[in-house]
Amino acid sequence: MTVPDAGRPYSRLSDLADLFPGRLTEIVEARLVTGPVVPFHGKTIQRLWSDLEGQLPSGWAVVSDVAFVFDDDNEFCPDLAVIPAEAEDENHSAYSADLIEFVVEVVSPSSVRRDYEVKPRWYASRGIANYLAVDPLQGHCVTMWNPGSDGYRGRDVVPYGTALTVDSPLGVLTLGTARLPVDPKGRHRS
């Protein structure tokens, strides 16, 4: 899918973002979803971004919390997405979902269903090779690969404290999990 330059703005979210300052806002299954960002969420994103950015081949960039248009009912703002650096240089607030090569979502209490059920189907349907759900509530990461029309066919659960290695079209990416914060209110089992 390409997002048209005329007729419809890149994102319907751009019209709504100012109504919810300081909150992450997405359109998921034709519903406006908004929620605050908590410190553990931001810290997780920051640490993964740092790990990821230094390993990307030339020509690729990491972006966060910009809209990716999937269809009229779904505009996601992934916590981290890897897109062509040339697209990032355009500095838009929204892009076509077809640009995403690798995507990361940090699970929060209100996003469990979206991050484990809804978004993997959409990401896989667009051929995004690797999806990583990072879960501070459980203290683990779920890495998904081998996208198909009905979702990802491969899935591994990696507990925090273990180096996470992802074999992606961008190369082998290694992400540290030992420094990722675990939500004390989560369901983590020591």
Side-chain angles (χ1 to χ4, degrees), residues 97-112:
D98 294 328
L99 293 173
I100 302 172
E101 185 67 30
F102 180 89
V103 67
V104 177
E105 295 286 4
V106 179
V107 179
S108 63
S110 63
S111 73
V112 172

Side-chain angles (χ1 to χ4, degrees), residues 2-68:
T2 52
V3 180
D5 289 332
R8 175 177 167 225
Y10 274 107
S11 169
R12 295 184 310 174
L13 286 174
S14 60
D15 297 334
L16 303 170
D18 292 338
L19 298 174
F20 306 101
R23 298 176 73 86
L24 175 65
T25 306
E26 298 181 296
I27 298 173
V28 179
E29 298 178 319
R31 293 182 180 184
L32 184 65
V33 178
T34 183
V37 176
V38 296
F40 277 11
H41 196 96
K43 191 178 286 188
T44 300
I45 293 167
Q46 179 186 41
R47 289 179 179 171
L48 291 171
W49 186 320
S50 178
D51 280 355
L52 189 57
E53 190 171 48
Q55 299 177 63
L56 293 178
S58 177
W60 293 94
V62 180
V63 296
S64 182
D65 293 330
V66 295
F68 287 91

Side-chain angles (χ1 to χ4, degrees), residues 106-121:
V106 179
V107 179
S108 63
S110 63
S111 73
V112 172
R113 179 181 167 277
R114 290 188 308 271
D115 291 340
Y116 282 117
E117 296 175 26
V118 177
K119 289 182 178 183
R121 284 193 311 268

Side-chain angles (χ1 to χ4, degrees), residues 143-157:
T143 179
M144 299 176 215
W145 71 94
N146 195 7
S149 60
D150 58 345
Y152 288 94
R153 294 178 215 123
R155 178 183 290 233
D156 280 329
V157 177

